[in-house]
Amino acid sequence: MATTMLHKHRVSVLFSFGRSLYRRINVSQGEFGLQQKCSAYSRPINTLSASEAVAEIKNMPDESRPMPAKKPISKAMKAYLLQAKNYDEFMKKQNTEFQIGRRHLANIMSMDADTMTQEDIDQAIEFLFPSGLYEPRARPMMKSPELIFPPKKAAEFDESGRPYHSLFYTMNPNFYGLLQEAVTEYVNLNKEEDNMIRKRISFNSDMKIILSGSDWLSQEKLSNLLIEQIDDAQYEQFKNVMLRLAEHPLSNKVKDFIMKYRYSLVNEAALAEIPKPSYEKDGRAYVTFKGARRKNAYADVTVHMPGTGKFLINDCDIEYFQDIQSREQITFPLIFTALLGKVDVTATAIQGGTTGQSGAVRFGLAMALRSFVDDKMVERMRLAGLLQVDWRTRERKKPGQPGARRKPTWKAR
Amino acid sequence: MSSLTKLISTLARVSDTKLALLNHSNVQIISSAKMSQYPKYFIDPTFRNDELNALYETGEVKEKALVPCRAALTEHTSSEFYSSFTRKFINHVMRKGNKQLAREVVEKAFEVIKKTQIQKYHSLPPEKKVDFTIRDPHELFHQAVINVKPIMVLTPIKRGGVRYQVPVPVDDLQATILAYKWFIEASKDKERTVRFYNKLAKEIMDAANNTGRVVKKKLDLHKQCEANRAYAHYRWN
């Protein structure tokens, strides 16, 4: 009876503070009642500005409204408030410094500080502090402090120190909440599967999720998403649980849940971006692809449609390439798309050797041909490896050894 | 030959998968992902139209949609003159990275084979011409390699300070590589005036008929394996 009273009491207190607190901590009224379903607790706790929290809590004893007897603030809450205050002050200071820095930078670059975007800042920094460091994060940078310092969680407990989340004492409530949600989904799918078997409904491969083309979020990204530090073992656990769920024969039903924790491997927008052909005065359609590369060679390729299969490479016909393999290379996209003899190809190739130049022309030609074939053929070309830049280059020789990888013959003495 | 297969079965430790490998099949070209400059999830290109059509028919293409694909290699083409089996052999013939020369030599050898086949066809009496089919040199070469691939090889294994030549079954890829090596060795062992491609053409045609010195080399090796069967147990003890 006493606990029920307490619950009622807390709910009334919360409502008396108004909607903002209620909304901010992202806890619904039902969750304060008896703990019925664990999955109800797995909602991630949102971040909040600490100053807001402090102000709100300071304003709590409002005389105009009737208040129950003042409750002592727990030590946990006090510690949190102090921490939040410090964090907020720190961020405020960082933000001021960033704004001043931005103004200085705008002055140096003679730009308008108010309209300066992050992109402009990055360009300016790269111009003023050129760096040859390989790792991008090691290079000089200037970013908004929100992008650099990890976000902090809002208070996870009330003034009396009682946690909101049922998994609070696991230290990682969002992470374990996620696992619990996955398991709940799995159990539900199992029930559905049982039902289907009972009703003799047959399964097909469309009911299972296709995972190819995407990968699990990295440990770092998952940590950021859940606002929790996730260690290696936990990340493994996450992957195992999610994979188990994904391998369920009915996993397509929970596609949205699974795909929330995966990212796409290809840039779909870039794939769909195919230029429209322009037209010459004589009515022939043409498309130019510039800057195709392979090894050290670069090529610009123009394709004219309709044509008679003429090649013009550096003002020479196909005999510009003297070996058969190179000629084979530049006709490969045409044979593949069955456009050999139906288009004219004009190309300029510079630098590099024969293989590099023919490879660059091949890539440029394949990219330009996309405008003259249907979507299905474009996908076929992609699967044939025609639309992928071959970015492999020769590995440099290392000092102290005869080649890139080869070591001198071992001599004992 | 039957005793040889018996020997294999007596080895007994050979697993089923290994035995399956002994059956002559096409060479599986295994791509090495270890030093690849592409990220791991990149798949190999399917650049032959027939292979791609097969992917569409079996529905495997659904799984490959939106998975990044590696660029086709320089030697890849969807031209009908492409044969992955022969391209691999060209790489074995190649010396000091001179692929242009290696390719020229092998193609010349194939030209000689084709010419000889046509000559053979025209020299036949008309009633026999019906049975004689002019075979594609690529096909003939494939048959020749199948005839030359050994089932077992000898491996030196040290036991009690003595090196024993122990017969061991050889997997398909190793057997193919040995066959390539023997063809090249046999073609190099010639008069100074004879051309490499002429000799290579002759060896390939002989081997396709299950005759010639390369096939003999395989039989000799098998005979030696048979002779050393007493050492076979050194493989595992």
Side-chain angles (χ1 to χ4, degrees):
Chain A
M1 194 62 195
T3 46
T4 333
M5 286 293 286
L6 198 71
H7 280 300
K8 271 184 185 168
H9 176 69
R10 195 192 337 275
V11 171
S12 68
V13 168
L14 271 169
F15 278 119
S16 72
F17 292 155
R19 264 186 74 78
S20 59
L21 181 67
Y22 170 76
R23 189 177 61 244
R24 203 184 53 236
I25 53 180
N26 207 358
V27 177
S28 71
Q29 189 191 353
E31 287 165 24
F32 273 117
L34 293 169
Q35 300 173 8
Q36 289 166 340
K37 273 181 87 180
C38 289
S39 60
Y41 289 83
S42 55
R43 266 190 253 171
I45 293 164
N46 291 349
T47 51
L48 85 162
S49 149
S51 64
E52 259 182 70
V54 174
E56 190 116 28
I57 286 160
K58 268 182 191 165
N59 293 337
M60 268 181 214
D62 191 352
E63 281 107 47
S64 62
R65 279 177 286 186
M67 281 287 297
K70 197 179 176 186
K71 274 176 62 186
I73 294 177
S74 74
K75 275 187 178 174
M77 195 60 186
K78 268 183 194 161
Y80 164 74
L81 285 177
L82 187 69
Q83 206 184 23
K85 199 179 148 204
N86 288 344
Y87 178 76
D88 207 48
E89 271 169 15
F90 172 75
M91 288 302 277
K92 218 171 177 178
K93 199 180 153 206
Q94 290 294 325
N95 209 20
T96 328
E97 277 178 10
F98 172 69
Q99 293 304 339
I100 293 168
R102 208 164 82 127
R103 266 174 199 289
H104 279 306
L105 199 66
N107 272 343
I108 296 168
M109 304 302 291
S110 59
M111 290 168 97
D112 185 14
D114 298 324
T115 55
M116 206 177 192
T117 59
Q118 184 61 45
E119 220 169 277
D120 296 330
I121 296 176
D122 290 343
Q123 270 177 3
I125 294 287
E126 203 184 339
F127 173 72
L128 294 170
F129 307 99
S131 169
L133 292 172
Y134 178 76
E135 173 62 51
R137 282 184 304 176
R139 297 178 200 154
M141 64 167 102
M142 190 172 129
K143 275 179 185 163
S144 161
E146 279 95 37
L147 294 173
I148 291 181
F149 299 103
K152 288 231 167 160
K153 273 187 186 176
E156 294 174 80
F157 36 76
D158 60 11
E159 316 85 81
S160 63
R162 186 189 151 89
Y164 298 134
H165 203 294
S166 67
L167 295 169
F168 174 78
Y169 290 108
T170 59
M171 313 273 284
N172 287 331
N174 289 349
F175 173 73
Y176 288 106
L178 162 65
L179 292 193
Q180 223 165 34
E181 202 179 340
V183 172
T184 316
E185 298 283 17
Y186 191 82
V187 170
N188 289 342
L189 286 186
N190 267 349
K191 277 180 195 162
E192 277 190 46
E193 193 187 7
D194 286 349
N195 264 335
M196 282 175 72
I197 292 168
R198 216 170 288 133
K199 289 175 186 165
R200 309 210 168 164
I201 302 169
S202 59
F203 295 87
N204 61 44
S205 58
D206 288 344
M207 294 174 180
K208 200 173 166 184
I209 198 169
I210 294 174
L211 289 186
S212 64
S214 59
D215 198 7
W216 298 115
L217 291 183
S218 68
Q219 196 170 337
E220 202 189 335
K221 276 187 183 154
L222 189 69
S223 286
N224 284 342
L225 188 71
L226 299 176
I227 329 174
E228 272 167 14
Q229 211 56 45
I230 288 165
D231 64 25
D232 295 350
Q234 282 174 325
Y235 184 63
E236 274 305 300
Q237 199 182 3
F238 156 76
K239 280 206 289 191
N240 287 340
V241 169
M242 295 301 275
L243 205 62
R244 181 90 182 268
L245 179 63
E247 275 167 6
H248 195 282
L250 297 178
S251 55
N252 214 6
K253 294 201 168 175
V254 288
K255 192 177 177 185
D256 292 343
F257 172 69
I258 294 174
M259 294 317 270
K260 231 180 355 184
Y261 300 100
R262 290 178 74 83
Y263 70 98
S264 177
L265 292 177
V266 292
N267 186 354
E268 289 172 46
L271 272 183
E273 214 173 81
I274 298 171
K276 288 264 179 320
S278 318
Y279 291 89
E280 297 274 20
K281 276 175 192 164
D282 58 1
R284 289 165 84 204
Y286 73 95
V287 168
T288 306
F289 187 85
K290 284 193 169 172
R293 52 166 297 213
R294 163 100 167 90
K295 290 176 131 183
N296 286 328
Y298 293 87
D300 295 344
V301 183
T302 309
V303 176
H304 280 90
M305 173 99 164
T308 51
K310 264 185 238 158
F311 272 98
L312 197 67
I313 302 158
N314 289 353
D315 298 328
C316 193
D317 60 358
I318 197 170
E319 287 181 8
Y320 174 77
F321 293 118
Q322 295 190 348
D323 59 330
I324 306 291
Q325 183 166 270
S326 297
R327 291 181 195 173
E328 229 176 48
Q329 277 300 291
I330 56 172
T331 48
F332 178 14
L334 296 171
I335 295 172
F336 190 81
T337 52
L339 286 174
L340 192 66
K342 290 175 187 162
V343 292
D344 286 342
V345 180
T346 318
T348 46
I350 49 161
Q351 299 176 22
T354 328
T355 308
Q357 288 196 351
S358 61
V361 172
R362 184 193 86 179
F363 178 66
L365 177 54
M367 291 300 269
L369 280 180
R370 290 177 308 165
S371 308
F372 300 110
V373 294
D374 56 357
D375 287 354
K376 209 179 161 195
M377 181 53 94
V378 173
E379 175 63 8
R380 280 175 77 96
M381 285 167 83
R382 192 187 70 81
L383 287 173
L386 285 170
L387 303 181
Q388 168 69 45
V389 190
D390 197 346
W391 56 56
R392 299 172 303 153
T393 46
R394 180 186 154 277
E395 192 174 327
R396 62 156 292 190
K397 180 197 170 297
K398 313 292 184 305
Q401 57 193 57
R405 300 282 170 107
R406 192 188 153 74
K407 312 289 183 296
T409 317
W410 171 252
K411 261 189 190 167
R413 56 195 64 79
Chain B
M1 196 63 185
S2 64
S3 61
L4 195 73
T5 26
K6 221 176 178 180
L7 177 60
I8 294 170
S9 54
T10 51
L11 289 178
R13 306 296 189 273
V14 185
S15 64
D16 286 347
T17 46
K18 264 260 167 89
L19 276 172
L21 274 176
L22 289 177
N23 297 332
H24 300 300
S25 61
N26 282 347
V27 192
Q28 293 269 314
I29 294 154
I30 299 154
S31 63
S32 59
K34 211 173 156 191
M35 292 190 185
S36 174
Q37 292 190 32
Y38 290 102
K40 258 186 188 171
Y41 51 80
F42 270 65
I43 52 170
D44 284 341
T46 317
F47 55 94
R48 306 286 300 162
N49 262 320
D50 46 351
E51 283 172 23
L52 207 50
N53 290 338
L55 280 187
Y56 274 95
E57 270 167 34
T58 55
E60 269 176 70
V61 80
K62 229 190 264 173
E63 281 175 19
K64 297 199 171 190
L66 296 178
V67 185
C69 184
R70 292 173 186 216
L73 298 181
T74 313
E75 60 174 26
H76 289 165
T77 169
S78 59
S79 152
E80 59 186 297
F81 302 109
Y82 177 86
S83 153
S84 67
F85 197 80
T86 318
R87 296 282 161 125
K88 204 73 197 160
F89 180 60
I90 290 172
N91 289 348
H92 281 258
V93 172
M94 179 168 72
R95 292 288 176 268
K96 294 191 178 174
N98 194 349
K99 195 172 210 161
Q100 214 173 324
L101 181 65
R103 191 177 159 156
E104 202 182 307
V105 164
V106 173
E107 275 174 2
K108 269 187 184 168
F110 281 11
E111 203 180 313
V112 173
I113 293 173
K114 188 82 185 178
K115 274 184 187 165
T116 321
Q117 292 286 87
I118 291 170
Q119 263 175 6
K120 246 189 219 170
Y121 175 76
H122 287 303
S123 63
L124 284 174
E127 66 274 11
K128 279 192 179 173
K129 271 184 183 173
V130 187
D131 302 331
F132 188 87
T133 45
I134 303 168
R135 288 161 78 193
D136 178 22
H138 292 278
E139 217 178 282
L140 207 79
F141 174 61
H142 203 150
Q143 183 58 46
V145 171
I146 287 172
N147 289 347
V148 166
K149 274 197 286 192
I151 299 176
M152 305 203 82
V153 290
L154 293 170
T155 320
I157 292 178
K158 214 169 179 180
R159 290 280 179 271
V162 185
R163 266 174 199 278
Y164 295 100
Q165 294 292 323
V166 179
V168 293
V170 63
D171 70 36
D172 194 58
L173 186 65
Q174 282 304 316
T176 316
I177 291 169
L178 263 180
Y180 288 160
K181 197 178 148 196
W182 289 343
F183 272 120
I184 295 163
E185 272 174 11
S187 312
K188 274 189 172 174
D189 186 14
K190 59 179 174 58
E191 298 276 306
R192 221 170 56 81
T193 48
V194 180
R195 286 294 185 165
F196 177 88
Y197 49 81
N198 284 330
K199 190 75 194 298
L200 180 62
K202 187 178 161 287
E203 294 299 343
I204 289 172
M205 282 186 288
D206 281 349
N209 277 336
N210 236 337
T211 53
R213 54 188 287 185
V214 188
V215 172
K216 192 171 168 287
K217 193 155 188 169
K218 178 193 82 171
L219 293 177
D220 285 348
L221 180 68
H222 282 175
K223 227 176 259 172
Q224 256 184 319
C225 290
E226 186 81 63
N228 286 8
R229 64 185 297 179
Y231 302 143
H233 64 283
Y234 283 135
R235 254 188 89 209
W236 59 86
N237 63 17

